[in-house]
Amino acid sequence: MTAAPAPATPTSAPAPAGNPRSRVVIASLVGTSIEFYDFYVYATAAVLVFPTLFFPNEDPTASQLSSFVTFALAFFARPIGSIIFGHFGDRVGRKTTLVASLLVMGTATFLIGCLPTFSSIGVWAPVLLAVMRFAQGVGLGGEWSGAALLATENAPKGKRGVFGSMPQLGAPIGFLLANGLFIAINAAMPAGADGTPNADFQAWGWRIPFLLSAVLVIVGLYVRFKLVESPVFRGVQESGTVAKIPLGRVFRTSWKALIVGTLGMVATYVLFYFMTTFTLSYGTTGAEASPLVPKVGLGYSRGEFLTLLMIGVVFFGIFTPIAGMLADRFGRRKTLIPTTIGIALFGLTFQFWFAASQGPITVVTFLIVGLSLMGLTFGPMGALLPELFPTNVRYTGSAIAYNVASILGASLAPTIALALWQPDGNIFLVGLYLTIAAVVTLVALLFVRETKSKEFADA
């Protein structure tokens, strides 16, 4: 029995390794949906409840900043996860590593839902929250790359862009699941007329989305245990070209790809976390400054703004696979470069569009445009980043690029936005920050060679 090491052109039948295309799509999509659900549950809670439950002894702005610091912590953990899971993904295989990353992320999320708050154990509450948040980041650090490789290494010829966009769909789906659940809980436990949080929501309602992650993880594990190894990786195993130390090899042989891949993702991350985490904070802050909340926002209730945000995220989901199809037809660069220019221009509109919004129609239009751009830039990345690296370091290389970009683009984005947000509600500098990030990404994309036709069965 000899297996060809280069099954890069599968037919309409199941892939040679035994993975039907439908199973590949579902496994890559379900896993990342669960992972992003876990991540967004935390992001939402970091805005809505963690400042008061875990950092109550600080003024409101300091509490929010402290909450955002724990939010950022996971981004610094993600490169560690990319190194750990990338090592085993390039040496042992994609399937086993994907299962492990899902378990780490899911367990950490479930345990956050069990944590006592500051009122129960004092300073140990934020310490334990930070530990669990770090574990979340480690798990996600290995998840995305494995899912992207699962999709692209099993993709039909000429379809890596659209197949690579399938794990990207996990981002909007996870967001809709997480925040849809928060909206339902908020409807059942509404805030008071003066905006005072519901006592039941503060006591235990916020825990429900974290605890339900256990159910989603079981579903994800079931799907992934039915997979067999990627045929492209099997070819590397059978040819004896598995990298002994993938981390060292990728820095030695693919350092240019690491740089352009990392910088090429910066604008994507800044855009997404501005459009979700920051806009939620700005949108739900009072329309008038007060001693309690010294900055001006749009003054929407939590439920109202989350509903508007979810409408925008639907367009994120729609444009993600559209971008994958465009990347297959026209190329990765020809799709991403115009999109990045659009992001740069969009950043200049923050003050004159979002901050000056006169009603929900204007707000939701702003969110739709921003999150549509997010789909157009995020979709092709599921194919582009894996294509920058050879098979024997592809897991490590794409994971490091993706997750280091999260540090540069997303880890501090909400905190920086909070600092640039002026007390009178002016957010021009927030948008300008996005524009600068887009320029950085645009320069990186100009140095990326077109990878649409790259052969995947390389060593």
Side-chain angles (χ1 to χ4, degrees), residues 195 279-288 293 295-305 308 354-355 357 363 421:
T279 59
L280 178 60
S281 184
Y282 188 86
T284 56
T285 296
E288 295 183 2
V293 183
K295 293 191 177 186
V296 170
L298 298 181
Y300 285 86
S301 72
R302 179 174 64 216
E304 288 172 341
F305 197 86
L308 298 176
F354 186 48
S357 296
V363 172
W421 172 8

Short mmCIF file of all heavy atoms in Angstrom, two decimals, residues 195 279-288 293 295-305 308 354-355 357 363 421:
data_model
loop_
_atom_site.label_atom_id
_atom_site.label_comp_id
_atom_site.label_asym_id
_atom_site.label_seq_id
_atom_site.Cartn_x
_atom_site.Cartn_y
_atom_site.Cartn_z
N GLY A 195 -31.34 52.09 34.00
CA GLY A 195 -30.14 51.44 33.50
C GLY A 195 -29.44 50.56 34.51
O GLY A 195 -28.42 49.95 34.19
N THR A 279 -17.50 49.48 19.47
CA THR A 279 -18.79 50.07 19.14
C THR A 279 -19.84 49.71 20.19
O THR A 279 -20.73 50.52 20.48
CB THR A 279 -19.29 49.62 17.76
OG1 THR A 279 -19.40 48.19 17.72
CG2 THR A 279 -18.37 50.11 16.65
N LEU A 280 -19.74 48.52 20.77
CA LEU A 280 -20.67 48.14 21.83
C LEU A 280 -20.50 49.05 23.04
O LEU A 280 -21.48 49.51 23.64
CB LEU A 280 -20.45 46.68 22.23
CG LEU A 280 -21.34 46.16 23.37
CD1 LEU A 280 -22.81 46.25 23.00
CD2 LEU A 280 -20.96 44.72 23.72
N SER A 281 -19.25 49.34 23.39
CA SER A 281 -18.99 50.22 24.52
C SER A 281 -19.48 51.64 24.22
O SER A 281 -20.15 52.27 25.05
CB SER A 281 -17.50 50.23 24.84
OG SER A 281 -17.22 51.01 25.98
N TYR A 282 -19.15 52.15 23.04
CA TYR A 282 -19.56 53.50 22.65
C TYR A 282 -21.08 53.61 22.52
O TYR A 282 -21.70 54.57 22.96
CB TYR A 282 -18.89 53.89 21.33
CG TYR A 282 -19.08 55.33 20.94
CD1 TYR A 282 -18.22 56.31 21.41
CD2 TYR A 282 -20.12 55.71 20.10
CE1 TYR A 282 -18.39 57.65 21.05
CE2 TYR A 282 -20.31 57.03 19.73
CZ TYR A 282 -19.44 58.00 20.21
OH TYR A 282 -19.61 59.32 19.86
N GLY A 283 -21.66 52.59 21.91
CA GLY A 283 -23.09 52.64 21.66
C GLY A 283 -23.93 52.57 22.91
O GLY A 283 -25.04 53.11 22.94
N THR A 284 -23.44 51.93 23.97
CA THR A 284 -24.24 51.76 25.18
C THR A 284 -23.85 52.75 26.28
O THR A 284 -24.39 52.68 27.39
CB THR A 284 -24.11 50.32 25.72
OG1 THR A 284 -22.72 50.01 25.93
CG2 THR A 284 -24.70 49.33 24.74
N THR A 285 -22.91 53.63 26.00
CA THR A 285 -22.57 54.69 26.96
C THR A 285 -23.57 55.83 26.82
O THR A 285 -24.04 56.13 25.72
CB THR A 285 -21.14 55.20 26.70
OG1 THR A 285 -20.23 54.14 26.94
CG2 THR A 285 -20.80 56.35 27.62
N GLY A 286 -23.90 56.49 27.93
CA GLY A 286 -24.91 57.54 27.92
C GLY A 286 -24.61 58.66 26.95
O GLY A 286 -23.45 58.96 26.63
N ALA A 287 -25.65 59.29 26.46
CA ALA A 287 -25.51 60.38 25.50
C ALA A 287 -25.08 61.68 26.16
O ALA A 287 -24.80 62.66 25.47
CB ALA A 287 -26.83 60.59 24.75
N GLU A 288 -25.04 61.68 27.49
CA GLU A 288 -24.57 62.85 28.22
C GLU A 288 -23.53 62.41 29.25
O GLU A 288 -23.69 61.36 29.89
CB GLU A 288 -25.73 63.55 28.93
CG GLU A 288 -26.75 64.16 27.98
CD GLU A 288 -27.84 64.90 28.72
OE1 GLU A 288 -27.75 64.97 29.96
OE2 GLU A 288 -28.76 65.41 28.06
N VAL A 293 -20.14 58.27 34.48
CA VAL A 293 -19.65 57.90 33.15
C VAL A 293 -19.19 59.19 32.46
O VAL A 293 -19.99 59.91 31.87
CB VAL A 293 -20.75 57.20 32.32
CG1 VAL A 293 -20.17 56.76 30.96
CG2 VAL A 293 -21.32 56.02 33.06
N LYS A 295 -17.65 59.98 29.81
CA LYS A 295 -17.54 60.10 28.36
C LYS A 295 -18.91 59.99 27.72
O LYS A 295 -19.83 59.38 28.25
CB LYS A 295 -16.61 59.02 27.80
CG LYS A 295 -15.15 59.20 28.24
CD LYS A 295 -14.21 58.30 27.47
CE LYS A 295 -12.76 58.56 27.89
NZ LYS A 295 -11.79 57.82 27.09
N VAL A 296 -19.03 60.59 26.56
CA VAL A 296 -20.30 60.63 25.83
C VAL A 296 -20.33 59.53 24.77
O VAL A 296 -19.35 59.30 24.06
CB VAL A 296 -20.49 62.01 25.16
CG1 VAL A 296 -21.68 62.00 24.21
CG2 VAL A 296 -20.66 63.09 26.22
N GLY A 297 -21.46 58.83 24.68
CA GLY A 297 -21.68 57.82 23.65
C GLY A 297 -23.04 58.02 23.02
O GLY A 297 -23.61 59.11 23.06
N LEU A 298 -23.61 56.93 22.48
CA LEU A 298 -24.88 57.04 21.78
C LEU A 298 -26.08 56.81 22.67
O LEU A 298 -27.21 57.14 22.30
CB LEU A 298 -24.91 56.05 20.60
CG LEU A 298 -23.85 56.28 19.52
CD1 LEU A 298 -24.01 55.25 18.40
CD2 LEU A 298 -23.90 57.69 18.97
N GLY A 299 -25.88 56.17 23.82
CA GLY A 299 -26.96 56.05 24.78
C GLY A 299 -27.97 54.94 24.52
O GLY A 299 -29.07 54.98 25.06
N TYR A 300 -27.62 53.93 23.74
CA TYR A 300 -28.53 52.81 23.52
C TYR A 300 -28.50 51.86 24.71
O TYR A 300 -27.49 51.77 25.42
CB TYR A 300 -28.14 52.03 22.26
CG TYR A 300 -28.50 52.72 20.97
CD1 TYR A 300 -27.63 53.65 20.39
CD2 TYR A 300 -29.69 52.45 20.33
CE1 TYR A 300 -27.95 54.28 19.21
CE2 TYR A 300 -30.03 53.08 19.14
CZ TYR A 300 -29.16 53.99 18.58
OH TYR A 300 -29.50 54.63 17.42
N SER A 301 -29.57 51.13 24.91
CA SER A 301 -29.55 50.07 25.92
C SER A 301 -28.71 48.91 25.39
O SER A 301 -28.45 48.81 24.18
CB SER A 301 -30.98 49.58 26.20
OG SER A 301 -31.47 48.84 25.10
N ARG A 302 -28.31 48.05 26.30
CA ARG A 302 -27.49 46.91 25.93
C ARG A 302 -28.19 46.04 24.89
O ARG A 302 -27.61 45.67 23.87
CB ARG A 302 -27.18 46.09 27.18
CG ARG A 302 -26.35 44.85 26.94
CD ARG A 302 -26.00 44.22 28.28
NE ARG A 302 -27.19 43.77 28.99
CZ ARG A 302 -27.36 43.81 30.31
NH1 ARG A 302 -26.42 44.32 31.07
NH2 ARG A 302 -28.45 43.35 30.87
N GLY A 303 -29.46 45.70 25.13
CA GLY A 303 -30.20 44.85 24.20
C GLY A 303 -30.39 45.50 22.84
O GLY A 303 -30.28 44.84 21.80
N GLU A 304 -30.68 46.80 22.82
CA GLU A 304 -30.90 47.51 21.56
C GLU A 304 -29.65 47.49 20.70
O GLU A 304 -29.71 47.19 19.49
CB GLU A 304 -31.28 48.97 21.84
CG GLU A 304 -32.68 49.15 22.39
CD GLU A 304 -32.95 50.57 22.83
OE1 GLU A 304 -31.98 51.35 23.06
OE2 GLU A 304 -34.14 50.92 22.97
N PHE A 305 -28.51 47.80 21.30
CA PHE A 305 -27.31 47.89 20.47
C PHE A 305 -26.83 46.51 20.03
O PHE A 305 -26.34 46.35 18.90
CB PHE A 305 -26.18 48.63 21.20
CG PHE A 305 -25.11 49.11 20.26
CD1 PHE A 305 -25.24 50.32 19.61
CD2 PHE A 305 -24.00 48.31 19.96
CE1 PHE A 305 -24.29 50.75 18.70
CE2 PHE A 305 -23.05 48.73 19.06
CZ PHE A 305 -23.19 49.96 18.42
N LEU A 308 -28.70 45.66 16.92
CA LEU A 308 -28.16 46.34 15.75
C LEU A 308 -26.84 45.71 15.31
O LEU A 308 -26.59 45.54 14.11
CB LEU A 308 -27.96 47.83 16.05
CG LEU A 308 -29.22 48.64 16.40
CD1 LEU A 308 -28.83 50.07 16.77
CD2 LEU A 308 -30.20 48.63 15.23
N PHE A 354 -20.61 57.51 12.52
CA PHE A 354 -21.06 56.77 13.70
C PHE A 354 -21.35 57.71 14.87
O PHE A 354 -22.43 57.66 15.48
CB PHE A 354 -20.00 55.74 14.09
CG PHE A 354 -20.40 54.82 15.21
CD1 PHE A 354 -21.64 54.19 15.21
CD2 PHE A 354 -19.55 54.58 16.27
CE1 PHE A 354 -22.01 53.33 16.23
CE2 PHE A 354 -19.90 53.72 17.30
CZ PHE A 354 -21.14 53.10 17.28
N ALA A 355 -20.41 58.58 15.21
CA ALA A 355 -20.59 59.47 16.36
C ALA A 355 -21.72 60.47 16.13
O ALA A 355 -22.37 60.91 17.08
CB ALA A 355 -19.30 60.22 16.67
N SER A 357 -24.46 59.83 14.53
CA SER A 357 -25.68 59.08 14.19
C SER A 357 -26.91 59.70 14.83
O SER A 357 -26.92 60.02 16.01
CB SER A 357 -25.54 57.62 14.64
OG SER A 357 -24.50 56.97 13.94
N VAL A 363 -26.91 54.09 12.49
CA VAL A 363 -26.02 53.22 13.24
C VAL A 363 -25.87 51.88 12.54
O VAL A 363 -24.77 51.37 12.33
CB VAL A 363 -26.52 53.02 14.68
CG1 VAL A 363 -25.69 51.95 15.40
CG2 VAL A 363 -26.45 54.33 15.45
N TRP A 421 -10.93 57.93 22.52
CA TRP A 421 -12.31 58.40 22.60
C TRP A 421 -12.35 59.62 23.52
O TRP A 421 -12.08 59.54 24.71
CB TRP A 421 -13.15 57.26 23.12
CG TRP A 421 -14.58 57.53 23.48
CD1 TRP A 421 -15.29 58.66 23.29
CD2 TRP A 421 -15.44 56.59 24.13
NE1 TRP A 421 -16.57 58.51 23.77
CE2 TRP A 421 -16.69 57.25 24.29
CE3 TRP A 421 -15.31 55.28 24.56
CZ2 TRP A 421 -17.77 56.62 24.89
CZ3 TRP A 421 -16.38 54.66 25.16
CH2 TRP A 421 -17.61 55.32 25.32
#
